[in-house]
Amino acid sequence: MDPQRQGEIALAMVRYFIRKGGIELSRQKIRGASAMAKAMGISTEELMEFTRPLVVEFVEELFPTKK
């Protein structure tokens, strides 16, 4: 399996777990993201850049814009 397909599957898994378990947004959780990023070997900025669009996507699903 090529790395691009692995990334697609990983992203699908993240979306699945967000929809199933929800997201808790708090200052404490955001501060904990730094430790999570370090444990994964990435920067906090990269983790936030990756996470932000997923959170927006999830919120838009929960609160769709009326047309």
Side-chain angles (χ1 to χ4, degrees), residues 48-60:
M48 294 298 181
E49 184 179 341
F50 176 83
T51 305
R52 186 173 286 114
L54 294 170
V55 171
V56 170
E57 178 182 321
F58 185 66
V59 169
E60 287 176 350

Side-chain angles (χ1 to χ4, degrees), residues 9-55:
I9 291 169
L11 189 55
M13 287 177 62
V14 169
R15 284 185 173 118
Y16 171 82
F17 286 116
I18 287 173
R19 286 184 184 102
K20 186 157 176 84
I23 300 173
E24 181 183 332
L25 298 176
S26 68
R27 285 279 174 216
Q28 184 177 6
K29 291 287 184 180
I30 292 170
R31 282 191 290 268
S34 183
M36 183 190 313
K38 185 176 180 180
M40 293 189 300
I42 62 173
S43 71
T44 302
E45 291 77 21
E46 283 181 303
L47 180 59
M48 294 298 181
E49 184 179 341
F50 176 83
T51 305
R52 186 173 286 114
L54 294 170
V55 171

